[in-house]
Amino acid sequence: MPYVARTGVVGVAIMPSVTGRERSLEELLYHVTQLALRDAGMTIDDIDGIVVASNDQLDGRAISIMAASAAVGGVDRDILSTPSAGEHAFVMGALRVATGQYRTQLVVSWSPTEAAPFHEAQHLAADPYYHRKLPLDEVSSHALQASALLSSVPGVEAMAKKVAEKNRQNGRGAYPEQTGRSENAIKVPWPLDAGMVSPPVTGAVALVLASEEYVNEHPDLPVAWISGMGWATEAAYLGDRDLAQASSLAEAARQAYGEAGIADPVGAFEVAEVADATPYQELLAYEALGLAPRAEWGARLDDGTFGPGGKLPVNLSGGALSLNPVYCTGLIRIAEIARRVLGRDGANTRTGLAHAASGFAMQYNTVVVLRRGEQGAAA
Amino acid sequence: MSARVGIIGIGQSNFQARRNDASYPDLVREAVTVALGDAKLDFDGIEAVVYSLSPDAMVGIGNAERIGVDAVGARNKRFLRINTGGATGISSVAAAYYHVAAGACDVVLTAGADKVGECGDSQTVLNKIWDPTYERQLPLGTINMLAMSAVRYMDKYGMTEEDMARVVVKNRMQASKNPHAHLKKPTTVEEVFKSRYISWPIKLFDCCPQSSGGCAMVLASERYIKERNLDAVWITGVGHCSETYYIGDRMGTGYTADHADAYALRGSFVRAFKMAGITKPRDQVDVAELYAPFSNTEFHSIEAAGLAELGQSPAMLREGQFQLGGKIPVNPSGGVLCTNAIAVTAMVRVAEIALQVWDRAGGHQVAGAKRGIASGNGGDHQFFGTMVVEA
Amino acid sequence: MSTELLMRQETWNITYTHALGETASWFYVQLRDHAKLYGKRDAKSGRVLIPPRSFSDQTLEPTTDWVEVGPGGVIETFSIVYEEFNGLPPPPYAFGYVKLDGADTAIGGYFKGVDLSDPKAASAKLKIGTRVTTKFAEKRAGDVLDFWFESDAG
């Protein structure tokens, strides 16, 4: 570990699908923040700093950290935002605690569905120089990625279907009330279909990070230590990339595994959550995370390695294929692993792997390795 | 405690109204190339990049950091973007600082650019910073929002429009010595008074321009700098603090922040000063670059930095204390009043202070400057970032 | 490299349907249907917040009871805009913030009934501390443009 101070997750709140109009966006953020603080046994007075992440075009607010600041407790506090990705807020918060200059950080991200047309809000990310005239949005970029895999991996469509079925099944177990209830239909471009993409829903997620010093002062507090963290990005233009590969994810994994001292990732974790805006992304993640090269995807899906009860269950939450609050799905992947490593599901999970991706065809990739602290384990 | 973090390279554009010869990523690259040259590094030497970009709508590209990835050479590297509105630039330097101070990286680049002149509706975009529930239907923009601060400051401390004009005259004179500044033509109090009212009491000359250009900085760990025997200046204090989103909560009764002042900017400086061991800023600070896009806001910024008591800065400015050659020169670069490329404006504040304590500021050098302070303001006078840089 | 430099115009066009939530909805229904303004009290500090928030950003406690405020109040700040901006109203116009009687925070609104042609004279009439009265539109849509402020001094 290269870090000055050890950092862990001590509180989590996940709202992967919010319906109804009882709450404004600000009120939703207030609510999710209060839930995460309560989960950490803290009040806002225990928080030294805040990092939030959101997308102006989805929020319909310029500098949308502004409205959030009041709701997440930003008044009189030190707050930053990382609009590049929800998971980047986690990275920034973790780095701040890792300096030894902060004892705690609150990390919040959200994704509303108040923009119409939704795809147009994403289409604005197509640059006006070469791409704005093309019908490019996130789903279409994911379709191009899927297409690249179809032309390079024989039989991959059937594997993708298996991944989608697995995650949807997991989702019905993890979030039975919410899954499959979105009213926001989307048009799905070939080669994707409705079974491989989940429509956008409103969601929010918050985590509380704490330093080793804070944790030591609270011996009953369960903690999920960040034992490795990596993040990397792909090139800007899709045409500059091999969309059938996830090289920046491999780099992010190299960073995270290096820090965590993991030489062989197979068998190193008990659970994993990976990006799955489409099932093709999950397949790419198997390879880039060192869990299964593409030649083994079919066999590992057939033998249930990544299914519930398998050697390494992947996306037990159901993933974004079940509930897709588009902008914050990445941070939710990390939060889902934190929740399990903290023992909030009642199981005895000691280590977990989280992969988050954002942008066109997984441009940004973040990998986090969490390990349960020994203290609080019996509590 | 973490080791010190140094600044080893700086690049900034010669800012101007339009840059029709360069796309948005071209402008980012322009600043990055200068900063890397200054640090004598190529892209292979950079381990992580913090991308500095305020509202997407201002450059007209959603998540415009994504197309900036190649401009900053971040392919397959650690990369993330910071946005705290106008404070973004200094928050980005702070974020880069945390990468190094945490021990995650030895060398980090932070960079960005803006083309405010390409946004035909900047005050319309900036109206969208207010919440759609209560405030956005009002014709709020950043100019009238800070005009309302001026009205309260005038009422509270007796500032006059002439006091405001003196800030413009001082900063324009200083900008005339800075080749990177956008508005470089000196002016007079009479000329400021002749310029038209935009939003009373703010006149055209009391306003910053809309600038195009980029800025980049390279930060490195103390170990990296010492091992290579590099020339560097040091970030010794970093702070952030915020105040309420709702302007109407900064007045009335029982409020903590007064919209006349810069309450959370003071809070942010308190944090940075504590870290840097500064207890008497009036005696311990040699030079300041304080984010002030309108003339009136330089006063409450000077006071929030502890360089003057509340309400005292107009008189002290009149005495020449804050001009080049005065006791503590404020905005020797000409400041935001003469150059405002929003995404990097607050980074330029840090860059300029670094150049000052490095004795590399050229025509606007403050003689013998060893310790400087910088600030950035974002949102609706809401987010404040501060930094102390020392030789 | 010498070349003809091209420009391209692009417009963003997205529509947002923002949920106002229960608190703001109740406030706007009272405004629309009864021409009354209410603040909400933060029990911890005792302050009455208007516009009403469901929680206080200072104490982070939920607000509790509704308190009718105004229609009288005092000007806390103002500006008079003389410049035209795309998407904003034609100038000149005056607006700012008023602390309504019974409230602890100020709410934004237009000032009407002031001759704005001379900036100095107009700004003197809107001086901080000036007593104003809230006026309500005949037809109200349920937004902050349903009301404005007029100086009691005329």
Side-chain angles (χ1 to χ4, degrees), chain A residues 223-296:
Chain A
V223 56
W225 294 116
I226 302 169
S227 63
M229 184 167 78
W231 66 108
T233 181
E234 300 285 345
Y237 291 153
L238 292 175
D240 288 346
R241 294 169 51 185
D242 179 350
L243 293 178
Q245 301 289 337
S247 54
S248 73
L249 173 52
E251 167 58 21
R254 190 193 63 76
Q255 295 166 17
Y257 295 167
E259 288 178 10
I262 292 168
D264 177 14
V266 179
F269 311 102
E270 291 152 280
V271 290
E273 290 272 330
V274 307
D276 65 336
T278 73
Y280 294 95
Q281 297 194 342
E282 180 165 326
L283 292 170
L284 276 170
Y286 291 159
E287 179 171 78
L289 289 167
L291 306 176
R294 57 190 64 199
E296 291 177 18

Side-chain angles (χ1 to χ4, degrees), chain B residues 40-205:
Chain B
K40 298 181 186 66
L41 281 172
D42 56 23
F43 281 117
D44 291 342
I46 302 295
E47 292 169 87
V49 181
V50 175
Y51 200 89
S52 185
L53 176 60
S54 37
D56 295 339
M58 208 60 88
V59 288
I61 308 170
N63 285 93
E65 84 281 356
R66 293 179 190 166
I67 70 155
V69 163
D70 291 299
V72 296
R75 228 180 260 201
N76 265 345
K77 285 183 185 160
R78 296 173 175 91
F79 173 94
L80 55 78
R81 166 188 169 194
I82 293 289
N83 176 9
T84 50
T88 297
I90 197 165
S91 299
S92 295
V93 182
Y97 165 91
Y98 294 130
H99 281 63
V100 179
C105 304
D106 276 321
V107 186
V108 179
L109 169 71
T110 180
D114 220 327
K115 300 190 90 179
V116 185
E118 286 192 1
C119 180
D121 305 278
S122 61
Q123 286 301 313
T124 315
V125 170
L126 290 170
N127 173 259
K128 301 277 185 276
I129 69 178
W130 278 281
D131 82 90
T133 307
Y134 292 124
E135 301 214 290
R136 197 184 291 169
Q137 281 149 321
L138 296 172
L140 279 162
T142 49
I143 305 174
N144 52 44
M145 179 257 294
L146 289 168
M148 291 189 204
S149 173
V151 168
R152 285 184 72 81
Y153 190 92
M154 284 172 149
D155 184 71
K156 202 170 171 184
Y157 306 116
M159 176 184 72
T160 64
E161 289 178 67
E162 201 174 332
D163 288 325
M164 291 166 61
R166 281 194 197 95
V167 175
V168 182
V169 172
K170 168 181 79 76
N171 288 359
R172 287 280 197 93
M173 175 55 73
Q174 292 172 175
S176 73
K177 302 168 193 292
N178 173 13
H180 299 295
H182 175 179
L183 298 181
K184 289 197 278 276
K185 193 166 165 277
T187 188
T188 62
V189 169
E190 293 69 36
E191 272 188 335
V192 177
F193 266 76
K194 271 189 216 148
S195 68
R196 66 182 189 275
Y197 279 108
I198 302 295
S199 189
W200 194 90
I202 291 176
K203 304 178 200 66
L204 180 65
F205 278 31

Side-chain angles (χ1 to χ4, degrees), chain B residues 97-332:
Chain B
Y97 165 91
Y98 294 130
H99 281 63
V100 179
C105 304
D106 276 321
V107 186
V108 179
L109 169 71
T110 180
D114 220 327
K115 300 190 90 179
V116 185
E118 286 192 1
C119 180
D121 305 278
S122 61
Q123 286 301 313
T124 315
V125 170
L126 290 170
N127 173 259
K128 301 277 185 276
I129 69 178
W130 278 281
D131 82 90
T133 307
Y134 292 124
E135 301 214 290
R136 197 184 291 169
Q137 281 149 321
L138 296 172
L140 279 162
T142 49
I143 305 174
N144 52 44
M145 179 257 294
L146 289 168
M148 291 189 204
S149 173
V151 168
R152 285 184 72 81
Y153 190 92
M154 284 172 149
D155 184 71
K156 202 170 171 184
Y157 306 116
M159 176 184 72
T160 64
E161 289 178 67
E162 201 174 332
D163 288 325
M164 291 166 61
R166 281 194 197 95
V167 175
V168 182
V169 172
K170 168 181 79 76
N171 288 359
R172 287 280 197 93
M173 175 55 73
Q174 292 172 175
S176 73
K177 302 168 193 292
N178 173 13
H180 299 295
H182 175 179
L183 298 181
K184 289 197 278 276
K185 193 166 165 277
T187 188
T188 62
V189 169
E190 293 69 36
E191 272 188 335
V192 177
F193 266 76
K194 271 189 216 148
S195 68
R196 66 182 189 275
Y197 279 108
I198 302 295
S199 189
W200 194 90
I202 291 176
K203 304 178 200 66
L204 180 65
F205 278 31
D206 291 305
C207 299
C208 60
Q210 299 186 329
S211 311
S212 294
C215 186
M217 297 176 69
V218 182
L219 274 56
S221 68
E222 183 163 24
R223 179 170 59 86
Y224 180 94
I225 290 167
K226 293 258 159 83
E227 278 175 9
R228 286 161 186 77
N229 203 21
L230 300 176
D231 193 16
V233 291
W234 304 94
I235 295 171
T236 56
V238 182
H240 273 92
C241 192
S242 304
E243 59 191 56
T244 178
Y245 182 31
Y246 296 93
I247 295 169
D249 285 9
R250 303 179 198 147
M251 50 196 74
T253 54
Y255 53 85
T256 48
D258 188 330
H259 192 50
D261 302 316
Y263 172 82
L265 176 58
R266 172 169 294 254
S268 179
F269 268 121
V270 164
R271 286 173 187 163
F273 286 168
K274 187 180 173 204
M275 198 169 145
I278 293 175
T279 51
K280 293 182 180 140
R282 285 267 304 149
D283 301 329
Q284 293 171 286
V285 171
D286 301 319
V287 56
E289 284 279 341
L290 305 177
Y291 190 102
F294 303 97
S295 57
N296 57 296
T297 64
E298 186 165 306
F299 291 123
H300 66 209
S301 302
I302 288 171
E303 293 158 16
L307 305 181
E309 297 298 318
L310 287 178
Q312 297 301 306
S313 62
M316 291 162 72
L317 187 122
R318 207 154 44 225
E319 292 164 5
Q321 293 203 29
F322 302 123
Q323 67 198 35
L324 269 170
K327 181 167 165 42
I328 305 172
V330 173
N331 294 325

Side-chain angles (χ1 to χ4, degrees), chain B residues 18 60 120-121 124 132-135 137 139 148 151-152 161 196-200 244 246 248-249 252-254, chain C residues 7 12 18 24 28 47 51-53 57 76-80 82-83 86 93 97 104-106 110 120 123 143-144:
Chain B
R18 302 281 309 201
D121 305 278
T124 315
T133 307
Y134 292 124
E135 301 214 290
Q137 281 149 321
M148 291 189 204
V151 168
R152 285 184 72 81
E161 289 178 67
R196 66 182 189 275
Y197 279 108
I198 302 295
S199 189
W200 194 90
T244 178
Y246 296 93
D249 285 9
T253 54
Chain C
M7 310 296 285
W12 288 20
H18 296 298
Y28 280 125
R47 298 174 76 221
R53 269 60 58 81
D57 66 7
E76 287 281 347
T77 192
F78 68 94
S79 185
I80 310 168
Y82 289 97
E83 184 82 357
N86 286 351
Y93 49 85
Y97 285 81
D104 288 284
T105 66
Y110 279 92
K120 284 244 177 311
S123 59
D143 67 40
V144 295

